[in-house]
Structures are given as C-alpha cells and as structure tokens.
Amino acid sequence: MPTQRRRPRFLKAFLISLGTIVCVIVLAVGGLFLYLQYGLSHNITKASLLPDEPGSVTRNPVAGNAQNILLIGSDTRSGTIDNLQGNSDVIQLVHISNGDKKISVIDFPRDLYVAIPGYPMNKINWSYARGGAPLLVETLQNLLGVHIDHVAQIDFTGFADLTNDLGGVEVYVPQGYSEGGISAGTQNPIGFGSWTKGWHHMNGDQALGFVRERHQLTLGDIDRGVDEQEWIHAIVKKMLTPSVLLNPVKLVQATNDLTKNATVDQTMTVSYLDNLAVNLAQLNPSDVSYYTAPWSGFATNVDGDVDTVNMPQMKLLGQALNQDKMASYTYDEHAMQ
C-alpha cells in the first residue's frame, strides 16, 4: 500500500484511533475540540466489560506499554448494546505495540471452537452470548496467554451510520457472491446483497449486508472476518481524504453517530483515549497489519459447524502478542487493497 502523505497531528490522531478502537474522537481545533470532548463524555456508555477478577494472565513487562484492546461488534440490530444479548459477529483484537509504532488487528472467527472458562468447549461467539464481554475476554486471555487491557463495543448501527456519514466508502470485495440482489429502484440489498469481486462503493446498509454474509463464501466466517477488516480499512482510507478530515461538520456527525452506539470498559477514560490518540498521531495506515487467528480446518459436532484451532500457531501468536513481537509474526498476514 502506498505511503500516505503526513497530515497534521490532530487529524492523524483522529484517523488512526478510529481505525483501531473505532470510538476514539479527539483533538480537533478551537471550539470543535470542546464539542468532541463533550461527545466522548456524554455519549459513550461505560459498562463492566472486563472480568471482575484479573485471573492468572497478567501483563508481560517485556512488552512495555504495548496495549491489547478487544473490539466487539454486537449484532443486536436494535441500536442499543446489551452485554448479554445479540451475537459478537465482530471479534477483533487490536494490539498497539510498545511506543505506539505499529498496530496489529487480529480477527477471531465467531465459530472458532475453544475452551471457555467454567463451561464445556464451544464456539468463541457462545462465550459472549452466555457471559457477555467479560467471559469473552477471559476466553481470549486463556486461549492466547495474553492480558487484555481494554474493551470497546459497538452496535452494527454505529458502523452503518458512520459509513453513511462519510458518504459511503470504497470497499474491496475479495470474493463475489449473490444472495438476494439489490432492491428495485434503490441501492439497498435484499438479504445480504450481491457483489462481484473488485472495488465497490457501499452505503451503510450495503456494507452491513457485505460483512454479515458468510454462507456463500468459500471459507464461511473465516472469509467474513476478512470482509469485516476490508470495511474497517475502507473507513480508514476514506477518513484520510481532505473532504472528511477538513470538514468539521462531518467530524462532528461521525462523533455523534459513533459515540451514541458505543460502550467501553470502566477504565477507558476520556483522558486515556486522548493520550492514546496523540501517541498514535504519527502512524500511517501502512503501519496497520491485519491477521486471522490461526485455524486448521472445519468440523461438525454437537455444537454445530465449527472452526478448528491451529493450537501450535495460536501459541506462537500468543507469544508474539505477549512479548510485543508482532513485527516478526507473519502467519496469515493479509494486506488490504
């Protein structure tokens, strides 16, 4: 991906934070800064998204100030987020390296068959449906042997609204499919839509259909995770355009639509988000790498169709995260278009 031209720090801070934890909006100019701060303080909901007990997984001092932030997309389809309702169709672990130099985004397919603390093995998505974000965090910490610092959770409505705020986004479709087509006289999908391989302009409803489709994709929810990351990447690239970055109206609109659909853990303060954004201000989209959690195949059991974990590779991923050595981890890294 070509290196992007450097832009002012407050704009880059806004962009990179959006691409990672999705609900960070900071550092505009003058009165806009105060308005954005107001949105962060009053719109974002805080909840107990982290486990009550820290458990046996603790931070590794070798990793320095590296951060692990769990990003959850909740498929409630209701406009609100409830810790014990809906499915976690988006499970992305965002690793920010020591010194805030690189970002790694790892997708965990919803059907990944894993050990769940206090319960029999099941799909990783089941841990969220059963115990909300805290149980999902515990499940991932045990699977990887890595401490998760924060959780940011957003309803799909927020993703769709953000896409519309930006006037739609250009999304690369890695694998074409057809499920229902487009409603006559509109651009909205029937079912999950119909797309050919290649670049497409998508509005919020179309993008929702795109990332919800899995049945007609070759690798099911494995491929859907890649599509989710394509959408995230498309939003990041659109945010880089001057028509968005230099438009206070669009920035405020995006702030409102994101924050009103977002929930973060109790320790993710506005001050923390501000500092994180400032520290990430020098990054470019090329500093963000995307991965799929290691898997080795498919199986069918009492819990349905599941994705089998590649445990040797998962251990290596956990070590890379735990020691902040993702720069040397290359398994299944895929570059965005």
Side-chain angles (χ1 to χ4, degrees):
M1 186 185 305
T3 300
Q4 300 288 342
R5 181 170 59 88
R6 297 288 181 183
R7 287 179 168 80
R9 289 179 60 86
F10 71 90
L11 298 176
K12 294 297 295 297
F14 177 85
L15 167 70
I16 297 300
S17 297
L18 174 67
T20 55
I21 61 175
V22 178
C23 57
V24 182
I25 310 293
V26 294
L27 298 181
V29 287
L32 182 58
F33 169 79
L34 297 178
Y35 187 93
L36 295 178
Q37 288 283 50
Y38 178 88
L40 280 171
S41 301
H42 292 77
N43 288 349
I44 288 184
T45 301
K46 288 191 175 183
S48 299
L49 303 182
L50 292 168
D52 293 333
E53 300 294 332
S56 59
V57 180
T58 57
R59 289 183 57 83
N60 188 340
V62 173
N65 69 348
Q67 294 279 296
N68 295 306
I69 302 172
L70 179 60
L71 173 62
I72 304 172
S74 177
D75 189 13
T76 63
R77 294 180 172 89
S78 65
T80 60
I81 297 175
D82 189 313
N83 220 19
L84 296 177
Q85 293 182 357
N87 296 315
S88 51
D89 277 0
V90 179
I91 304 173
Q92 306 271 350
L93 183 62
V94 178
H95 176 81
I96 304 172
S97 71
N98 183 40
D100 306 312
K101 297 177 180 178
K102 297 286 184 179
I103 294 174
S104 302
V105 184
I106 305 109
D107 172 63
F108 288 81
R110 58 174 285 175
D111 292 340
L112 209 61
Y113 203 62
V114 299
I116 299 175
Y119 299 93
M121 288 187 67
N122 209 317
K123 300 176 183 180
I124 194 169
N125 183 52
W126 185 90
S127 66
Y128 178 84
R130 180 64 183 86
L135 185 57
L136 177 57
V137 169
E138 284 189 80
T139 299
L140 281 170
Q141 288 188 150
N142 289 356
L143 177 65
L144 294 165
V146 172
H147 177 74
I148 293 178
D149 301 283
H150 296 289
V151 179
Q153 187 170 273
I154 187 168
D155 188 273
F156 272 146
T157 302
F159 285 113
D161 289 346
L162 175 61
T163 300
N164 289 331
D165 288 342
L166 299 177
V169 294
E170 300 297 323
V171 181
Y172 184 78
V173 178
Q175 187 178 152
Y177 68 88
S178 180
E179 186 174 337
I182 302 296
S183 177
T186 75
Q187 291 185 324
N188 296 325
I190 302 173
F192 292 152
S194 179
W195 302 104
T196 57
K197 181 178 179 179
W199 290 98
H200 294 274
H201 183 84
M202 297 186 189
N203 62 27
D205 287 337
Q206 290 171 322
L208 279 179
F210 172 64
V211 300
R212 281 174 173 156
E213 172 57 38
R214 62 171 177 154
H215 295 109
Q216 295 193 37
L217 302 181
T218 302
L219 299 178
D221 69 321
I222 304 292
D223 286 335
R224 177 166 65 176
V226 174
D227 287 350
E228 291 168 357
Q229 293 180 336
E230 289 286 356
W231 187 15
I232 292 173
H233 185 66
I235 291 175
V236 170
K237 290 205 298 184
K238 185 63 176 284
M239 290 297 298
L240 274 171
T241 61
S243 63
V244 175
L245 288 175
L246 302 180
N247 188 330
V249 174
K250 283 193 175 183
L251 292 181
V252 168
Q253 200 171 33
T255 302
N256 285 337
D257 283 334
L258 268 179
T259 55
K260 72 183 181 183
N261 289 289
T263 301
V264 300
D265 68 82
Q266 298 283 4
T267 64
M268 191 179 281
T269 63
V270 173
S271 175
Y272 168 83
L273 297 177
D274 282 352
N275 290 334
L276 179 62
V278 171
N279 292 338
L280 294 176
Q282 294 303 314
L283 295 182
N284 281 306
S286 58
D287 295 318
V288 184
S289 300
Y290 298 85
Y291 305 83
T292 299
W295 60 283
S296 58
F298 305 100
T300 301
N301 56 32
V302 294
D303 297 309
D305 297 328
V306 301
D307 306 329
T308 305
V309 176
N310 183 331
M311 287 307 300
Q313 285 294 335
M314 190 68 76
K315 183 177 180 180
L316 292 176
L317 172 61
Q319 291 174 348
L321 290 167
N322 193 42
Q323 299 173 17
D324 190 35
K325 294 183 177 180
M326 285 299 293
S328 61
Y329 179 81
T330 58
Y331 179 79
D332 193 38
E333 178 183 4
H334 55 274
M336 296 289 103
Q337 298 292 324

